[in-house]
Short mmCIF file of all heavy atoms in Angstrom, two decimals:
data_model
loop_
_atom_site.label_atom_id
_atom_site.label_comp_id
_atom_site.label_asym_id
_atom_site.label_seq_id
_atom_site.Cartn_x
_atom_site.Cartn_y
_atom_site.Cartn_z
N ALA E 141 12.93 15.57 91.78
CA ALA E 141 12.74 16.84 92.26
C ALA E 141 13.71 17.02 93.46
O ALA E 141 14.30 18.17 93.61
CB ALA E 141 11.30 17.05 92.69
N VAL E 142 13.87 16.05 94.30
CA VAL E 142 14.69 16.17 95.54
C VAL E 142 16.17 16.45 95.05
O VAL E 142 16.84 17.25 95.58
CB VAL E 142 14.45 15.06 96.44
CG1 VAL E 142 15.62 15.13 97.52
CG2 VAL E 142 13.16 15.17 97.10
N LYS E 143 16.64 15.75 94.00
CA LYS E 143 18.07 15.72 93.57
C LYS E 143 18.09 17.21 93.01
O LYS E 143 19.24 17.80 93.14
CB LYS E 143 18.29 14.73 92.53
CG LYS E 143 18.55 13.32 93.13
CD LYS E 143 18.70 12.27 92.13
CE LYS E 143 20.18 12.10 91.61
NZ LYS E 143 20.36 10.98 90.77
N ALA E 144 17.15 17.66 92.23
CA ALA E 144 17.39 19.06 91.71
C ALA E 144 17.36 20.09 92.78
O ALA E 144 18.26 21.04 92.72
CB ALA E 144 16.20 19.29 90.81
N ALA E 145 16.57 19.95 93.87
CA ALA E 145 16.53 20.91 94.99
C ALA E 145 17.97 21.02 95.70
O ALA E 145 18.35 22.02 96.08
CB ALA E 145 15.36 20.56 95.85
N GLU E 146 18.50 19.79 95.86
CA GLU E 146 19.76 19.67 96.54
C GLU E 146 20.83 20.48 96.05
O GLU E 146 21.79 21.02 96.68
CB GLU E 146 20.34 18.15 96.44
CG GLU E 146 19.73 17.32 97.44
CD GLU E 146 20.37 15.90 96.97
OE1 GLU E 146 21.39 15.85 96.08
OE2 GLU E 146 19.84 14.81 97.40
N LYS E 147 20.75 20.69 94.67
CA LYS E 147 21.78 21.43 93.97
C LYS E 147 21.71 22.88 94.41
O LYS E 147 22.65 23.70 94.11
CB LYS E 147 21.65 21.43 92.39
CG LYS E 147 21.51 19.96 92.03
CD LYS E 147 22.90 19.29 91.69
CE LYS E 147 22.85 18.02 91.07
NZ LYS E 147 24.04 17.32 91.01
N ILE E 148 20.70 23.38 94.87
CA ILE E 148 20.38 24.77 95.00
C ILE E 148 20.25 25.20 96.47
O ILE E 148 20.57 26.39 96.79
CB ILE E 148 19.06 25.12 94.18
CG1 ILE E 148 19.39 25.16 92.76
CG2 ILE E 148 18.48 26.35 94.62
CD1 ILE E 148 18.34 25.53 91.67
N SER E 149 19.63 24.34 97.24
CA SER E 149 19.28 24.71 98.60
C SER E 149 19.58 23.59 99.58
O SER E 149 19.89 22.53 99.21
CB SER E 149 17.85 25.27 98.72
OG SER E 149 17.45 25.71 100.04
N ASP E 150 19.32 23.75 100.92
CA ASP E 150 19.40 22.67 101.78
C ASP E 150 17.98 22.56 102.50
O ASP E 150 17.89 21.69 103.39
CB ASP E 150 20.37 22.92 102.98
CG ASP E 150 20.22 24.24 103.64
OD1 ASP E 150 19.25 24.99 103.30
OD2 ASP E 150 21.02 24.41 104.45
N HIS E 151 16.96 23.12 101.87
CA HIS E 151 15.59 22.88 102.31
C HIS E 151 14.65 23.06 101.13
O HIS E 151 14.97 23.66 100.12
CB HIS E 151 15.13 23.54 103.50
CG HIS E 151 15.44 24.92 103.51
ND1 HIS E 151 16.62 25.55 103.89
CD2 HIS E 151 14.68 26.02 102.94
CE1 HIS E 151 16.50 26.90 103.86
NE2 HIS E 151 15.34 27.30 103.29
N MET E 152 13.57 22.43 101.25
CA MET E 152 12.56 22.35 99.99
C MET E 152 11.27 22.63 100.61
O MET E 152 10.87 21.97 101.62
CB MET E 152 12.72 20.98 99.31
CG MET E 152 11.77 20.74 98.21
SD MET E 152 12.44 19.38 97.11
CE MET E 152 11.14 18.34 97.38
N LEU E 153 10.39 23.27 99.84
CA LEU E 153 9.08 23.55 100.09
C LEU E 153 8.33 22.59 99.42
O LEU E 153 8.49 22.23 98.16
CB LEU E 153 8.68 24.93 99.62
CG LEU E 153 7.53 25.76 100.18
CD1 LEU E 153 7.92 26.00 101.81
CD2 LEU E 153 7.36 27.08 99.55
N MET E 154 7.27 21.99 100.03
CA MET E 154 6.40 21.03 99.36
C MET E 154 4.95 21.45 99.71
O MET E 154 4.58 21.68 100.88
CB MET E 154 6.55 19.70 99.77
CG MET E 154 7.88 19.07 99.27
SD MET E 154 8.21 17.44 100.06
CE MET E 154 7.58 16.36 98.77
N GLY E 155 4.05 21.60 98.64
CA GLY E 155 2.67 21.98 98.94
C GLY E 155 1.67 21.71 97.86
O GLY E 155 2.14 21.25 96.75
N VAL E 156 0.46 22.04 98.07
CA VAL E 156 -0.53 21.77 97.09
C VAL E 156 -1.34 23.08 97.04
O VAL E 156 -1.52 23.89 98.07
CB VAL E 156 -1.57 20.72 97.49
CG1 VAL E 156 -2.71 20.66 96.54
CG2 VAL E 156 -0.95 19.31 97.67
N SER E 157 -1.41 23.50 95.70
CA SER E 157 -2.09 24.92 95.35
C SER E 157 -3.20 24.63 94.44
O SER E 157 -2.82 24.16 93.31
CB SER E 157 -1.10 25.77 94.97
OG SER E 157 -1.71 26.95 94.38
N ASP E 158 -4.46 24.62 94.66
CA ASP E 158 -5.45 24.36 93.91
C ASP E 158 -5.28 22.76 93.47
O ASP E 158 -5.14 22.03 94.23
CB ASP E 158 -5.68 25.30 92.62
CG ASP E 158 -5.90 26.56 93.01
OD1 ASP E 158 -6.66 26.85 93.91
OD2 ASP E 158 -5.17 27.57 92.37
N ASP E 159 -5.15 22.60 92.01
CA ASP E 159 -5.14 21.25 91.78
C ASP E 159 -3.73 20.91 91.37
O ASP E 159 -3.47 20.08 90.48
CB ASP E 159 -6.00 20.92 90.58
CG ASP E 159 -7.46 20.54 90.98
OD1 ASP E 159 -7.67 20.66 92.25
OD2 ASP E 159 -8.18 20.12 90.26
N THR E 160 -2.69 21.56 91.92
CA THR E 160 -1.31 21.33 91.52
C THR E 160 -0.50 21.00 92.74
O THR E 160 -0.64 21.58 93.73
CB THR E 160 -0.76 22.66 90.86
OG1 THR E 160 -1.65 22.94 89.77
CG2 THR E 160 0.66 22.33 90.49
N PHE E 161 0.31 19.98 92.57
CA PHE E 161 1.23 19.70 93.69
C PHE E 161 2.59 20.31 93.35
O PHE E 161 3.01 20.29 91.99
CB PHE E 161 1.51 18.23 93.75
CG PHE E 161 2.68 17.80 94.55
CD1 PHE E 161 2.90 18.09 95.93
CD2 PHE E 161 3.66 17.10 93.93
CE1 PHE E 161 3.92 17.76 96.68
CE2 PHE E 161 4.87 16.69 94.63
CZ PHE E 161 5.05 16.95 96.04
N TYR E 162 3.22 21.00 94.28
CA TYR E 162 4.51 21.59 93.82
C TYR E 162 5.66 21.35 94.77
O TYR E 162 5.34 21.19 96.03
CB TYR E 162 4.35 23.22 93.54
CG TYR E 162 3.95 23.88 94.89
CD1 TYR E 162 4.93 24.44 95.79
CD2 TYR E 162 2.71 24.17 95.23
CE1 TYR E 162 4.61 25.00 96.94
CE2 TYR E 162 2.26 24.74 96.28
CZ TYR E 162 3.23 25.23 97.26
OH TYR E 162 2.87 25.96 98.32
N MET E 163 6.83 21.43 94.27
CA MET E 163 8.06 21.22 95.19
C MET E 163 8.88 22.37 94.75
O MET E 163 9.09 22.51 93.58
CB MET E 163 8.69 19.91 94.96
CG MET E 163 7.91 18.71 95.35
SD MET E 163 8.77 17.14 95.31
CE MET E 163 8.35 16.62 93.63
N GLU E 164 9.49 23.09 95.84
CA GLU E 164 10.33 24.29 95.41
C GLU E 164 11.44 24.46 96.28
O GLU E 164 11.50 24.29 97.55
CB GLU E 164 9.32 25.54 95.44
CG GLU E 164 9.94 26.81 94.95
CD GLU E 164 8.97 27.92 94.95
OE1 GLU E 164 8.19 28.04 93.99
OE2 GLU E 164 9.19 28.84 95.94
N ALA E 165 12.61 24.82 95.67
CA ALA E 165 13.83 25.12 96.50
C ALA E 165 14.36 26.44 95.99
O ALA E 165 14.46 26.68 94.78
CB ALA E 165 14.92 24.04 96.45
N LYS E 166 14.68 27.33 96.96
CA LYS E 166 15.30 28.56 96.86
C LYS E 166 16.63 28.66 97.35
O LYS E 166 16.91 28.41 98.48
CB LYS E 166 14.43 29.67 97.37
CG LYS E 166 13.25 29.99 96.57
CD LYS E 166 12.43 31.20 97.22
CE LYS E 166 11.07 31.35 96.45
NZ LYS E 166 10.13 32.21 97.22
N GLY E 167 17.65 29.01 96.47
CA GLY E 167 18.99 29.19 96.96
C GLY E 167 19.24 30.66 97.20
O GLY E 167 18.29 31.51 97.08
N ASP E 168 20.50 31.13 97.33
CA ASP E 168 20.80 32.57 97.58
C ASP E 168 20.40 33.34 96.11
O ASP E 168 19.82 34.39 96.42
CB ASP E 168 22.32 32.70 97.81
CG ASP E 168 22.60 32.26 99.24
OD1 ASP E 168 21.61 32.17 100.05
OD2 ASP E 168 23.70 31.95 99.43
N THR E 169 20.68 32.75 95.12
CA THR E 169 20.30 33.39 93.87
C THR E 169 19.38 32.71 92.92
O THR E 169 18.71 33.42 92.16
CB THR E 169 21.66 33.75 93.02
OG1 THR E 169 22.28 32.49 92.89
CG2 THR E 169 22.56 34.63 93.95
#
Side-chain angles (χ1 to χ4, degrees):
Chain E
V142 169
K143 282 175 88 171
E146 275 173 17
K147 309 277 186 186
I148 283 181
S149 181
D150 56 1
H151 48 270
M152 176 162 118
L153 208 61
M154 295 172 92
V156 175
S157 163
D158 299 324
D159 270 11
T160 302
F161 165 62
Y162 64 87
M163 298 186 262
E164 188 176 281
K166 281 185 190 168
D168 289 341
T169 57

